[in-house]
Amino acid sequence: MNTKLDQLSADAAIGIAVNQAMFYQGVSRTELSRRVGLSQPSISLKLRGKVTWSVTDLLNVATALGTTPNALLPQPDGEGGWIPAPFVPGYAKAPALAGASAGWAHRESNPEPTD
């Protein structure tokens, strides 16, 4: 565990990345726990960095959120702590939101405006 207050543990950094993906998709802790088969208190502890993420849990959460485990992994900060993965909306195919188009537009389908 890190001794500096401003340093994040790897587990806390993963929790931040998962929380960002959940917020973007409107997924609650209760819904995520249902999707991955873990108790809501267990998900809550993992999201706060109080309990270690297993590889299986990380794989299941990434799948449930329509992203990749790699998109949730932190980077070392060079001082013994971890930096959360940058949040990039739409990095991986996410489930379509209610009323939204099920597919992504192709680049060619949105031509540059003409003057």
Side-chain angles (χ1 to χ4, degrees):
M1 187 114 193
N2 297 315
T3 57
K4 292 184 179 179
L5 292 177
D6 60 342
Q7 289 182 331
L8 289 174
S9 69
D11 292 310
I14 291 170
I16 289 169
V18 172
N19 267 309
Q20 290 173 329
M22 289 170 57
F23 179 79
Y24 178 70
Q25 293 187 29
V27 175
S28 69
R29 291 177 178 191
T30 301
E31 175 61 17
L32 183 63
S33 68
R34 185 193 65 74
R35 290 182 186 183
V36 298
L38 294 172
S39 70
Q40 194 278 333
S42 176
I43 288 289
S44 182
L45 290 169
K46 287 177 183 295
L47 291 173
R48 291 184 284 136
K50 304 295 183 188
V51 174
T52 301
W53 289 88
S54 72
V55 173
T56 301
D57 292 341
L58 187 60
L59 291 169
N60 290 339
V61 165
T63 300
L65 294 174
T67 190
T68 65
N70 215 27
L72 302 173
L73 292 177
Q75 298 295 314
D77 69 4
E79 298 179 9
W82 294 87
I83 301 168
F87 179 67
V88 181
Y91 171 73
K93 289 185 180 179
L97 301 174
S101 171
W104 298 98
H106 293 283
R107 183 176 180 90
E108 295 80 30
S109 68
N110 191 13
E112 296 288 323
T114 58
D115 292 331

